[in-house]
Amino acid sequence: MNSAHTTRAQALDWLAGQGPAMQDFLQQLVNIDSGSRDEAGVTAVAQAIASHLAGAGITAQLETVPGYGSNLRADVPGTAGGAPILLTGHMDTVYPQGTVAQRPFRMAEGRAYGPGVDDMKAGLVLN
């Protein structure tokens, strides 16, 4: 087995065991109202992600963007010396304040539901 195949297999094995933790983190993010231009909500999502990253030993910086909330930047140094990879995503949803109280995160028949569950909060969890 070559080293690229071994690394890929190790990554997939690790990822396969992350389902419950990823679902818990998705629930946390979905249950934060973060509608477009909701500065407090978008910042709360950024802070939740920064806290999650800190738990993995990754430092994140938040930059306030008046009228929108916060941007988040985290740099993870690689070990293989390859080209850098940029992961991006937005933290706002189209849903107004109070939507989470009406439609909080829930699972039904193996599917997740809630405001922003797919676009973009699941993407943020995957990032």
Side-chain angles (χ1 to χ4, degrees):
M1 210 182 277
N2 68 36
S3 65
H5 182 74
T6 300
T7 302
R8 186 178 9 245
Q10 290 170 331
L12 291 172
D13 285 346
W14 176 84
L15 189 57
Q18 298 303 307
M22 292 173 78
Q23 183 176 318
D24 289 347
F25 190 40
L26 178 60
Q27 180 174 353
Q28 180 184 355
L29 296 183
V30 169
N31 283 339
I32 300 171
D33 277 317
S34 60
S36 299
R37 312 277 258 146
D38 178 350
E39 291 182 65
V42 171
T43 296
V45 172
Q47 290 169 333
I49 295 169
S51 177
H52 186 78
L53 292 171
I58 300 168
T59 302
Q61 302 83 36
L62 273 63
E63 175 188 345
T64 301
V65 181
Y68 295 94
S70 295
N71 285 330
L72 180 141
R73 178 185 173 145
D75 294 308
V76 180
T79 58
I85 298 171
L86 175 66
L87 303 174
T88 64
H90 61 88
M91 296 177 281
D92 66 322
T93 68
V94 298
Y95 301 100
Q97 184 72 20
T99 302
V100 167
Q102 297 170 357
R103 296 188 307 114
F105 179 89
R106 69 181 175 88
M107 292 291 299
E109 298 180 14
R111 292 185 181 189
Y113 296 88
V117 75
D118 184 46
D119 179 27
M120 166 82 215
K121 292 184 177 178
L124 295 170
V125 170
L126 289 171
N127 281 351

